[in-house]
Amino acid sequence: MSRLVVVAGPSAVGKGTLVGALRQRRPDIWVSVSATTRPARPGEIDGVHYFFVSPEEFDRMIAHGELLEWAVVHGVNRYGTPRGPVEERLADDVPVVLEIDLQGARQVKESMPDALFVFVAPPSFDVLLERLEIRGTEDAAERERRMETAREELKAVDEFDVTLVNDTLDEAVAGLEAIVASAR
Ligand code: 5GP
């Protein structure tokens, strides 16, 4: 059986782009499609980017134990990983990647401690601040709040098995590909 690979990291570190590029390059690796209560953005397709569900449907999925993990992300919408498809693919020995937030990764660590946990890190704290678009346009309190969140999120690195620095996209994708290969 393949070992589940969980990719997480601080907000704005670029993990979505990274996993998207991996998917393009390696169609044989299955990337889980999450359920979310957030509305679809233009161009997003139900069942491809996410399963867009109502809050009631999300409640039902939780009540029936259908989610491997779930979390409220950015204080508003809920996101969760449907359990069934992940378990089926792992049983079929298909490599599986989850791209989720830190809270979700902690839950998976509780339920599937044998998974391989990959922390996507920025090249530096300053680069992360740039990617968070922390600029002079926010007031000082808001800037400080976001920086504090970023600092807290970076501390989670110690909870992970592997750190992958997201500097240039091509190199990071190659790194992730190698990590997924090592989890087989
Ligand atoms: P976005 O709304 O920009 O697509 O995603 C926002 C955040 O939700 C990202 O940080 C992403 O990692 C996280 N996320 C996406 N799917 C899941 C999921 O199934 N579970 C958890 N815990 N987080 C998720």
Side-chain angles (χ1 to χ4, degrees), residues 1-179:
M1 197 161 128
S2 277
R3 202 172 159 200
L4 175 65
V5 176
V6 179
V7 176
S11 326
V13 79
K15 51 194 189 297
T17 308
L18 182 60
V19 170
L22 177 75
R23 193 193 244 143
Q24 291 277 316
R25 188 153 144 171
R26 290 288 305 271
D28 58 309
I29 296 172
W30 187 72
V31 180
S32 163
V33 180
S34 300
T36 181
T37 59
R38 114 159 137 63
R41 296 181 187 134
E44 284 183 334
I45 302 163
D46 188 39
V48 175
H49 298 94
Y50 284 103
F51 293 104
F52 296 99
V53 302
S54 63
E56 294 73 26
E57 172 63 5
F58 204 94
D59 288 340
R60 195 200 58 76
M61 293 173 99
I62 296 170
H64 286 77
E66 291 175 15
L67 298 177
L68 184 60
E69 58 74 36
W70 69 273
V72 176
V73 181
H74 301 316
V76 195
N77 293 302
R78 288 181 288 172
Y79 295 79
T81 305
R83 180 194 302 275
V86 170
E87 290 180 348
E88 282 160 25
R89 272 145 185 112
L90 289 174
D92 287 345
D93 207 22
V94 173
V96 177
V97 172
L98 308 185
E99 185 259 297
I100 57 179
D101 86 323
L102 290 170
Q103 310 165 74
R106 289 185 179 120
Q107 292 172 43
V108 178
K109 199 161 186 180
E110 290 293 312
S111 58
M112 299 176 82
D114 291 339
L116 184 68
F117 294 87
V118 182
F119 188 85
V120 182
S124 70
F125 188 63
D126 284 349
V127 169
L128 185 63
L129 296 186
E130 272 167 34
R131 291 182 188 170
L132 275 166
E133 296 189 73
I134 293 182
R135 292 180 290 230
T137 47
E138 280 117 22
D139 66 33
E142 174 62 16
R143 238 173 19 239
E144 190 43 52
R145 199 182 62 76
R146 291 197 193 185
M147 283 164 67
E148 186 49 36
T149 303
R151 249 180 239 117
E152 278 304 313
E153 288 182 336
L154 282 175
K155 283 188 201 155
V157 64
D158 296 339
E159 301 167 36
F160 285 73
D161 300 309
V162 193
T163 303
L164 179 65
V165 177
N166 192 14
D167 196 343
T168 68
L169 182 63
D170 274 354
E171 282 177 35
V173 175
L176 184 55
E177 201 178 343
I179 290 166

